[in-house]
Amino acid sequence: MITLTSDFGSPYPAAMKGVIRRHTDAELIDVAHDLPRGDPRAAAFWLRFVLPEFPPAVHCAVVDPGVGTDRDALVVRAGAHVIVAPDNGLAMPPARALAGGESDVEAWTVAVDEPASETFHGRDVFAPTAARVRTALDDAEEPTGDGGLTPAAVADALAAMDDLSPASDPVDVRFPEPSVERGGDDGAGDSTGEVVAVDGEVLAIDRFGNVITNVPGALIRGRDWIRVDGDLTPVAETFGAVDPGERLVTVGSHGYVECDVNDGRGDSAFDLRPGDSVRLVPDSVSL
Amino acid sequence: MITLTSDFGSPYPAAMKGVIRRHTDAELIDVAHDLPRGDPRAAAFWLRFVLPEFPPAVHCAVVDPGVGTDRDALVVRAGAHVIVAPDNGLAMPPARALAGGESDVEAWTVAVDEPASETFHGRDVFAPTAARVRTALDDAEEPTGDGGLTPAAVADALAAMDDLSPASDPVDVRFPEPSVERGGDDGAGDSTGEVVAVDGEVLAIDRFGNVITNVPGALIRGRDWIRVDGDLTPVAETFGAVDPGERLVTVGSHGYVECDVNDGRGDSAFDLRPGDSVRLVPDSVSL
Amino acid sequence: MITLTSDFGSPYPAAMKGVIRRHTDAELIDVAHDLPRGDPRAAAFWLRFVLPEFPPAVHCAVVDPGVGTDRDALVVRAGAHVIVAPDNGLAMPPARALAGGESDVEAWTVAVDEPASETFHGRDVFAPTAARVRTALDDAEEPTGDGGLTPAAVADALAAMDDLSPASDPVDVRFPEPSVERGGDDGAGDSTGEVVAVDGEVLAIDRFGNVITNVPGALIRGRDWIRVDGDLTPVAETFGAVDPGERLVTVGSHGYVECDVNDGRGDSAFDLRPGDSVRLVPDSVSL
């Protein structure tokens, strides 16, 4: 299986599929081709969320504002998964998620011949690399096996590929951690006390305008009201708990706090964009 | 085969595909993931139109404004097809279309464990259920057969699944029937006379802005002009029969009367939205 | 393999897939379903770019403003590829690209029974025709072969299909050639001199607003500045060579000169639309 992710819209991904089909009959599954344009950080966020749902696969992910510059092409092994992507950081957060930690992530640099195109490395570099990796893994699989390679077998198969060399220092993207303020009754601050405020950041906006923050859901569990940048907002498990058009704070399927509107757009209602800071203050302090 | 339908946009459906791939290698075909958001009625309309084109398959359809509430998850058998969907009515009209009538439709409720997420049942409930149904059907198929199960064999396979129990009263969606006025020369009304007016309703608007009504095409067959809410409009078999920008009434591929504009948007030109009533008066009365 | 291309949006292409699945298990790959509506010329441009990336396949391409008129349905062989499309010209430029020239392109007309629908020939005519062609080719393949038919074997298989007859004069689309002005130091004009101006035409705008012209990239190779309709614009190999929001001229992956904006829309910045003429004057003349 090869999954495909990009910001290319259409019909460019079909050209990548055609190239892959010249090399291998592996199944092709689209993750998304409408990711925010030229934003490796947003791609990293979404891939970290989606890729761990898949069984071990080759993932070809191309959001590449540096196309045509001398940035490298990477092959990143994460457990028994492989991500093929430009060296701009998008591969590393999903790789850590796939590997269940840092310890089982390895990166290689792809030796790239003078490409046919300066502007479509998705077709000319990443698709053929993904196809060659897929073929190398398929050739390594025991025909009598259950179809899955161990991480060690994947590592061996990649190490045997002529055009890969260990990457010395791949670009990484780190998502910011929120700053959590805890306190006691005296307000003096107590790191074991209850949460009195969280200063977080907006990681992404989804298609529905839901504002996805970097604040783990556990930090607001059990609260009924949250002030979002000062505005009192109900916490709800479902959109339907508030009337259409009303704002709510909820924990999304990715485990993070979202600022949403039932049947509306949270980004507009809360005036929040990716990278904005957002302050969450639970009700027990404010009410 | 498993078909996938939702209002999720991207990349959420890819998470569903990843989950399914952990269970089964069944082919995955997307029907649509850009259906009107949170509108089970629109989903029912489109699925009733599209699903009957498929050979028997498992259809996973998630348009689910009630996600996280206590609405049930359903498995609906329609002939040798199976629809996996929330219990909000969207499954029933396509089920009747797939079964060729009411008599061969059965619904089960899925016993749902405490899900990992309150907000992404597509990934956590419906995708794994569709995968388990698909696997149950595949296991039931004779390896020497021609690949198709009878409706009775599908029913048996579902009945043998531990986590399904008969649904007592699944939510249903019924599309309104138009009101047809027939008359004779004396205008006294005559149920066997020709159609003098039809009061219908807008069922859906497609991507092109074509206004799809609930009026069967047969009711206007042979007419050259129709008054749509009073405005005289030509009846045409093709868009090309009128000039670009001109309005027309035609019968769509779904068999219903549409109010369209050649190379333009019918919804804007006729000022019609889903659920609006629309009065069609054939020309032989009005001219 | 059957590739699918249309301007249908969703969920109409799924109906085509369902129909095909009633006939054959061939792999289905979407090229695009959001092509410019009713524009066979734009479809021809994009298919000419994408289809040659694929190994030999059946390509079902439906952008069909004449649906329901008496325009023919075509089956076009190009080498070992087959395109199934309405007879409006969209098939011919990609067919020439697939065949590597005119000499190995043959067109047949499909005998169409009275279709079930006047408005959805994608489902009722082109999808079943593509499925029957695919089946005819699969039946012609030697089970012990490597899966590929020669162009001659494809031609034989098509010639044996009952409902195909040679097309006498299929509609064609020809993309305009740019007008190139060359000159010497004396400005007297010299067909072997360097390029002093090119009068081209906008062929297409892609999703990013990049303006794709019909001017071959070779004509501007080595130039640093180009006047685009008089405005001095840097020539760059990559978007990143100019600041965000800045205009550039580059050579796209299709080999043509593009007028683009880094992190912005070229069509707005240059005020260019498909079909517009555009005059490119290299810097060595103007600076």
Side-chain angles (χ1 to χ4, degrees):
Chain A
M1 190 196 316
I2 299 174
T3 76
L4 296 164
T5 305
S6 77
D7 61 351
F8 291 155
S10 89
Y12 298 100
M16 296 173 66
K17 294 179 187 181
V19 168
I20 291 172
R21 268 296 165 272
R22 290 186 170 270
H23 292 83
T24 169
D25 287 332
E27 182 183 23
L28 303 175
I29 294 188
D30 292 309
V31 170
H33 295 291
D34 58 354
L35 291 184
R37 183 181 174 191
D39 185 349
R41 189 183 155 88
F45 173 80
W46 288 112
L47 291 174
R48 188 179 62 160
F49 170 62
V50 172
L51 296 191
E53 304 297 342
F54 281 87
V58 174
H59 307 286
C60 184
V62 192
V63 173
D64 190 16
V67 61
T69 65
D70 59 2
R71 66 97 190 85
D72 284 324
L74 286 186
V75 170
V76 180
R77 184 185 64 79
H81 290 261
V82 179
I83 302 175
V84 177
D87 183 14
N88 59 25
L90 81 81
M92 303 313 281
R96 282 188 289 270
L98 289 167
E102 306 260 343
S103 59
D104 201 24
V105 173
E106 286 181 293
W108 283 268
T109 300
V110 184
V112 177
D113 295 332
E114 188 70 27
S117 153
E118 293 292 336
T119 54
F120 195 7
H121 287 192
R123 177 193 64 189
D124 298 334
V125 175
F126 297 103
T129 299
R132 283 183 297 105
V133 168
R134 181 70 268 167
T135 301
L137 300 187
D138 290 342
D139 289 348
E141 294 195 20
E142 289 297 316
T144 57
D146 64 354
L149 287 176
T150 63
V154 173
D156 288 347
L158 295 177
M161 290 181 69
D162 282 344
D163 57 345
L164 301 188
S165 53
S168 53
D169 189 20
V171 177
D172 200 352
V173 164
R174 295 276 175 174
F175 293 109
E177 294 294 321
S179 168
V180 183
E181 193 179 321
R182 293 173 189 273
D185 283 346
D186 62 358
D190 173 355
S191 67
T192 62
E194 71 176 3
V195 173
V196 298
V198 185
D199 287 295
E201 185 177 315
V202 177
L203 293 181
I205 309 288
D206 76 11
R207 175 198 178 209
F208 300 139
N210 298 324
V211 175
I212 303 166
T213 75
N214 66 339
V215 179
L219 290 179
I220 67 161
R221 206 83 69 179
R223 303 309 183 106
D224 293 326
W225 294 87
I226 297 272
R227 286 194 185 275
V228 178
D229 289 341
D231 291 330
L232 199 61
T233 310
V235 178
E237 290 192 353
T238 67
F239 283 75
V242 303
D243 288 335
E246 293 297 313
R247 307 192 302 173
L248 70 154
V249 166
T250 191
V251 180
S253 48
H254 27 65
Y256 291 106
V257 173
E258 288 189 4
C259 304
D260 302 340
V261 169
N262 183 20
D263 200 17
R265 293 190 66 91
D267 55 350
S268 304
F270 289 94
D271 194 21
L272 288 170
R273 304 287 174 268
D276 284 359
S277 62
V278 57
R279 182 172 176 84
L280 304 181
V281 178
D283 71 302
S284 60
V285 174
S286 309
L287 286 183
Chain B
M1 192 196 314
I2 299 175
T3 76
L4 296 164
T5 305
S6 77
D7 61 350
F8 291 156
S10 88
Y12 298 101
M16 297 174 65
K17 294 179 186 180
V19 168
I20 291 172
R21 267 296 165 272
R22 291 186 169 270
H23 292 82
T24 170
D25 287 332
E27 182 184 24
L28 303 175
I29 295 188
D30 292 309
V31 170
H33 294 292
D34 59 354
L35 291 185
R37 183 182 173 190
D39 185 348
R41 189 183 155 89
F45 173 79
W46 288 111
L47 290 174
R48 189 178 63 161
F49 170 63
V50 172
L51 296 191
E53 305 297 342
F54 281 86
V58 174
H59 307 287
C60 185
V62 191
V63 174
D64 189 17
V67 61
T69 65
D70 59 0
R71 66 98 189 85
D72 285 323
L74 286 185
V75 169
V76 180
R77 185 185 64 79
H81 290 262
V82 180
I83 301 175
V84 177
D87 183 15
N88 61 23
L90 82 80
M92 303 313 282
R96 282 188 288 271
L98 289 167
E102 306 259 343
S103 58
D104 201 23
V105 173
E106 285 181 294
W108 283 268
T109 300
V110 184
V112 177
D113 295 332
E114 189 69 27
S117 153
E118 294 290 336
T119 54
F120 195 6
H121 287 192
R123 177 192 63 187
D124 298 335
V125 175
F126 297 103
T129 300
R132 283 184 296 106
V133 168
R134 181 71 268 166
T135 302
L137 300 186
D138 290 342
D139 289 348
E141 294 194 20
E142 290 296 318
T144 58
D146 63 353
L149 287 175
T150 62
V154 173
D156 288 347
L158 295 177
M161 291 180 69
D162 282 343
D163 59 343
L164 300 188
S165 53
S168 53
D169 188 20
V171 177
D172 201 352
V173 164
R174 295 277 176 173
F175 293 109
E177 294 293 323
S179 168
V180 183
E181 194 179 318
R182 293 173 188 273
D185 283 345
D186 62 358
D190 175 354
S191 67
T192 61
E194 72 176 2
V195 173
V196 298
V198 185
D199 287 296
E201 186 177 313
V202 177
L203 293 182
I205 309 289
D206 75 12
R207 176 197 177 209
F208 301 140
N210 297 324
V211 176
I212 303 167
T213 75
N214 67 339
V215 179
L219 290 179
I220 67 161
R221 205 83 70 179
R223 303 309 184 106
D224 293 326
W225 295 85
I226 296 273
R227 286 193 185 274
V228 178
D229 289 339
D231 291 330
L232 200 60
T233 310
V235 178
E237 290 191 354
T238 67
F239 283 75
V242 303
D243 289 335
E246 293 297 313
R247 306 192 303 172
L248 71 153
V249 166
T250 191
V251 179
S253 48
H254 28 64
Y256 291 105
V257 173
E258 288 188 3
C259 303
D260 302 341
V261 168
N262 184 20
D263 201 17
R265 294 191 65 91
D267 55 350
S268 303
F270 288 96
D271 194 21
L272 288 170
R273 305 286 174 272
D276 284 0
S277 61
V278 57
R279 183 172 176 86
L280 305 180
V281 178
D283 72 303
S284 61
V285 174
S286 307
L287 287 183
Chain C
M1 192 197 312
I2 300 175
T3 77
L4 296 165
T5 305
S6 77
D7 60 351
F8 290 157
S10 88
Y12 298 100
M16 296 174 66
K17 294 179 186 180
V19 168
I20 291 172
R21 268 294 165 274
R22 292 186 168 270
H23 292 82
T24 170
D25 287 331
E27 183 183 23
L28 304 174
I29 294 188
D30 292 308
V31 170
H33 294 291
D34 58 354
L35 292 184
R37 184 181 175 191
D39 185 349
R41 187 182 155 90
F45 173 80
W46 287 111
L47 291 174
R48 188 179 63 161
F49 170 62
V50 172
L51 296 191
E53 305 296 342
F54 282 87
V58 174
H59 307 286
C60 184
V62 191
V63 172
D64 190 16
V67 61
T69 65
D70 59 0
R71 67 98 190 83
D72 284 324
L74 287 185
V75 169
V76 180
R77 184 185 64 79
H81 290 262
V82 179
I83 301 175
V84 177
D87 182 14
N88 60 25
L90 81 81
M92 303 313 280
R96 282 189 288 271
L98 288 167
E102 306 259 342
S103 58
D104 200 24
V105 173
E106 287 180 294
W108 284 268
T109 300
V110 184
V112 176
D113 295 332
E114 187 71 28
S117 154
E118 294 291 338
T119 54
F120 194 7
H121 287 191
R123 177 192 63 188
D124 299 334
V125 175
F126 296 103
T129 299
R132 284 184 295 104
V133 167
R134 181 69 269 167
T135 302
L137 300 186
D138 290 341
D139 289 349
E141 294 193 21
E142 290 298 317
T144 57
D146 64 353
L149 287 175
T150 63
V154 173
D156 288 346
L158 296 177
M161 290 181 68
D162 282 344
D163 58 344
L164 299 188
S165 53
S168 52
D169 188 21
V171 177
D172 201 351
V173 165
R174 295 277 175 174
F175 292 109
E177 294 293 323
S179 168
V180 182
E181 195 177 320
R182 294 174 187 271
D185 283 345
D186 62 358
D190 174 354
S191 65
T192 62
E194 72 176 3
V195 173
V196 297
V198 184
D199 287 296
E201 185 176 314
V202 177
L203 293 182
I205 309 287
D206 75 11
R207 175 198 177 211
F208 301 139
N210 297 326
V211 175
I212 303 165
T213 75
N214 66 339
V215 179
L219 291 179
I220 66 162
R221 206 84 68 178
R223 303 310 183 106
D224 293 327
W225 295 87
I226 296 274
R227 286 193 185 274
V228 179
D229 289 340
D231 291 330
L232 199 61
T233 310
V235 178
E237 290 192 355
T238 67
F239 283 76
V242 302
D243 288 334
E246 292 299 312
R247 307 191 304 173
L248 70 154
V249 166
T250 191
V251 179
S253 47
H254 27 65
Y256 290 107
V257 172
E258 290 188 3
C259 303
D260 302 340
V261 170
N262 183 21
D263 201 17
R265 294 192 64 91
D267 54 350
S268 304
F270 289 95
D271 194 21
L272 288 170
R273 305 285 172 270
D276 284 359
S277 61
V278 57
R279 184 173 176 85
L280 304 180
V281 178
D283 72 303
S284 60
V285 174
S286 308
L287 286 184

